[in-house]
Amino acid sequence: MSVVRTRFAPSPTGFLHIGGARTALYSWAYARHHGGQFILRIEDTDVARSTPEAVQAIIDGMAWLGLEHDEGPFYQMQRMDRYKEVIGQMLAAGTAYYCYTSREELDALRAEQEAKKEKPRYDGRWRPEVGKTLPPLPEGVQPVVRFKNPTDGVVAWDDVVKGRIEIANAELDDLIIARADGTPTYNFCVVVDDWDMGISHVIRGDDHVNNTPRQINILKALGATVPQYGHLSMILGDDGTKLSKRHGAVSVMQYDEDGYLPEAVLNYLARLGWSHGDDEVFGMAQFIEWFDLDHITASAAQFNTEKLNWLNQQYLKAASDSYLAGEVARRLAPRGIDPEQGPSLEAVVALYKDRAVNLNELADAVEPLLVEIHPTAEMIETHLTEAARAALAQLRERLVAVEWEKAAISQAIKETCTALGMKMPQVAIPLRVALLGLPQSPAIDAVLAVLGRETVLARIGRFL
RNA sequence: GUCCCUAUCGUCUAGAGGCCUAGGACAAUACCCUUUCACGGUAUGAACCGGGGUUCGAAUCCCCGUGGGGACGCCA
């Protein structure tokens, strides 16, 4: 069996978004599954729209997700000589030709065809044919180079996700492979790159299905081996419409900012458009073991933030306290909070990680344990009644002497309840408000234990 | 307009002719657990786009509609 070599080939005209991330993930996982190589290639031939910032954004996104490549990044702009070399060969071999049709003529042709409700396409006026007389060479027109596409028969391939696809050559026109300024175009560069880089499986977005027959024809004209193709359907936004700036078409780094763990995003993406029976929660090692291009869904999938949230929560619960403490500290820093002060961040995070959906929520939840709190007047009025304050006063006295660990603290709270004939919540809720400014928290004895005696006594003391 | 792809609960999906009284997960609802809020547990409701075939038998195969998406650039 031959070596598996896959690639991810984004054009650096924006950040790495969720659709691109899934394409990269599948290509990466397929290579890993087969012990092959995963190549990163930057398709930057559109000089006007490509930016170094976008290149960096893509690399950052890949790094955040942990999709490391084995070769590259290769930049198409650095491979110009090679493309020109191949174009020269094709011109010489007669599989490509110069076309002197101007942009204006092309526009007119297109308009005419559209008016007649026809599929717009080049009419082959400069295509050399035996016994055909070409038009006279116009003055001052720099020619483009067009590929001489076969006119009959069909191009067919067995798409690994969509099955057999056949397209009649009659549907295809002679595409431009080099612009008037000599620079090669996308469909041509892809072909040369996939060929030169020995790509065995091209896994890419659905929007490239129509490019595939053209690329196969060029590959064949070059005498190159045609790789396997797999076209992934697109990802729709939360509302079922195409991803746009407003919903979902955001950088994967936005997910970091929104408090998602890369593991959760990866797991979510793996399951969006692919399945392994009823399995839902699995790490990348497991995914690599399972993933094999079977079971990829052919139809478009709608992004569902709620399920991502649920997955993120699962990963949050499973994550280690030290990892979470690091992530939370990173989010607390911009708020001017130094987690070195106060109780151990790991202990605090452990208390809250079961109840947060994302890291930002976790940071929010943890904050009152780390900084001075300011309960609202309303909160104080509703919860810190005379009776409540009396209970807190008595509890405080017990806490002064008690051994500082959960069971003993719990015992002290219970004794206070009994002594005053109060129910647990009647003491616990005011206590929460006094300590955290909130009526809800994890188990109160655990909160006290983590907060430390000094802080607890001081915070209760403020209301006596 | 032409070509290509696609169609199972609200969403992601299982399903490769009988295992389907269509399964799981998210979301929803109810109950349980609970010291509050969560977590967790249990249960309930919820789908094969329509029409024709093929077959003893179709969610699964074929055809036609319809819906959705994509492509038709000297963009990638």
Side-chain angles (χ1 to χ4, degrees):
Chain A
M1 163 134 195
S2 58
V3 191
V4 168
R5 288 172 62 83
T6 63
R7 42 70 156 192
F8 178 54
S11 62
T13 53
F15 37 63
L16 176 65
H17 58 80
I18 216 71
R22 189 188 59 171
T23 303
L25 171 63
Y26 286 13
S27 299
W28 171 83
Y30 189 67
R32 288 287 171 273
H33 177 85
H34 288 282
Q37 289 89 45
F38 175 58
I39 294 148
L40 178 60
R41 184 169 82 216
I42 305 294
E43 312 218 317
D44 55 356
T45 52
D46 185 351
V47 187
R49 294 197 302 152
S50 299
T51 65
E53 290 75 25
V55 171
Q56 195 53 48
I58 289 163
I59 290 172
D60 290 348
M62 298 281 284
W64 184 69
L65 290 169
L67 303 178
E68 65 286 304
H69 49 270
D70 304 300
E71 291 176 25
F74 295 110
Y75 294 85
Q76 291 188 323
M77 284 307 284
Q78 293 172 10
R79 289 177 42 78
M80 283 300 144
D81 292 346
R82 171 60 179 155
Y83 303 137
K84 285 175 182 165
E85 178 191 1
V86 178
I87 287 169
Q89 288 166 2
M90 291 176 75
L91 249 10
T95 52
Y97 61 92
Y98 287 113
C99 168
Y100 293 82
T101 314
S102 67
R103 288 173 196 263
E104 291 71 31
E105 288 174 291
L106 244 23
D107 288 344
L109 178 64
R110 222 185 324 269
E112 197 182 310
Q113 288 163 331
E114 276 168 12
K116 281 194 284 187
K117 304 268 189 206
E118 282 171 4
K119 187 171 183 165
R121 63 211 313 202
Y122 175 64
D123 61 4
R125 60 184 70 168
W126 286 92
R127 180 181 168 113
E129 222 73 72
V130 278
K132 173 181 171 186
T133 322
L134 261 21
L137 245 52
E139 285 294 312
V141 176
Q142 276 298 319
V144 298
V145 179
R146 286 185 185 268
F147 172 62
K148 197 173 177 188
N149 197 78
T151 46
D152 17 68
V154 293
V155 202
W157 76 96
D158 292 301
D159 196 277
V160 288
V161 352
K162 292 183 186 291
R164 189 166 187 81
I165 299 179
E166 289 187 11
I167 290 172
N169 273 319
E171 290 296 327
L172 273 22
D173 63 1
D174 291 347
L175 76 153
I176 293 172
I177 59 176
R179 303 179 179 92
D181 66 5
T183 59
T185 59
Y186 168 76
N187 277 112
F188 177 75
C189 297
V190 167
V191 163
V192 175
D193 287 348
D194 286 340
W195 180 29
D196 284 356
M197 296 173 192
I199 302 301
S200 64
H201 298 259
V202 173
I203 297 166
R204 72 210 327 183
D206 218 344
D207 48 336
H208 289 290
V209 169
N210 296 274
N211 291 143
T212 306
R214 298 175 180 283
Q215 293 180 8
I216 289 175
N217 281 339
I218 299 176
L219 246 5
K220 284 182 176 164
L222 253 20
T225 310
V226 178
Q228 294 265 91
Y229 291 96
H231 290 94
L232 269 22
S233 57
M234 62 178 319
I235 298 177
L236 272 22
D238 240 329
D239 59 356
T241 63
K242 197 180 168 179
L243 242 31
S244 74
K245 288 272 155 51
R246 241 166 293 127
H247 60 287
V250 295
S251 166
V252 293
M253 297 315 287
Q254 183 65 42
Y255 290 89
D256 176 45
E257 207 157 304
D258 291 346
Y260 292 98
L261 302 177
E263 294 86 343
V265 173
L266 249 9
N267 192 157
Y268 180 73
L269 253 22
R271 252 327 253 95
L272 189 66
W274 174 86
S275 63
H276 184 267
D278 289 340
D279 295 301
E280 296 285 350
V281 185
F282 46 82
M284 284 303 104
Q286 184 60 261
F287 180 53
I288 287 169
E289 197 184 315
W290 283 336
F291 188 72
D292 203 11
L293 301 182
D294 292 334
H295 303 280
I296 292 180
T297 317
S299 56
Q302 191 170 318
F303 193 88
N304 187 236
T305 306
E306 289 186 322
K307 189 155 182 179
L308 204 215
N309 286 344
W310 174 78
L311 264 176
N312 201 51
Q313 195 173 176
Q314 303 304 308
Y315 280 90
L316 226 41
K317 286 200 299 192
S320 75
D321 297 340
S322 58
Y323 170 72
L324 256 18
E327 284 298 312
V328 167
R330 201 180 110 209
R331 282 149 215 277
L332 253 18
R335 309 182 190 185
I337 298 168
D338 175 13
E340 292 303 306
Q341 307 298 119
S344 141
L345 190 52
E346 280 192 36
V348 177
V349 153
L351 225 42
Y352 281 91
K353 70 175 180 182
D354 282 0
R355 40 221 311 136
V357 166
N358 62 57
L359 290 164
N360 292 335
E361 268 189 32
L362 186 55
D364 290 344
V366 146
E367 193 174 322
L369 293 266
L370 306 177
V371 299
E372 225 25 77
I373 56 147
H374 306 282
T376 62
E378 196 194 344
M379 196 68 80
I380 293 169
E381 198 183 327
T382 42
H383 295 289
L384 294 172
T385 58
E386 280 307 309
R389 286 173 202 244
L392 291 185
Q394 192 184 120
L395 173 64
R396 189 172 186 276
E397 272 174 49
R398 290 179 201 273
L399 290 176
V400 172
V402 91
E403 187 198 342
W404 205 256
E405 56 83 39
K406 227 173 82 173
I409 293 168
S410 178
Q411 188 58 33
I413 299 172
K414 282 177 184 151
E415 281 167 13
T416 307
C417 289
T418 315
L420 296 169
M422 296 172 96
K423 299 258 193 227
M424 193 62 170
Q426 293 177 287
V427 177
I429 307 266
L431 182 55
R432 289 188 169 95
V433 171
L435 295 177
L436 307 171
L438 297 165
Q440 302 94 34
S441 82
I444 192 65
D445 47 0
V447 170
L448 264 68
V450 168
L451 218 38
R453 191 191 323 254
E454 199 183 325
T455 310
V456 168
L457 297 182
R459 290 192 181 185
I460 294 175
R462 285 176 56 192
F463 297 99
L464 301 181

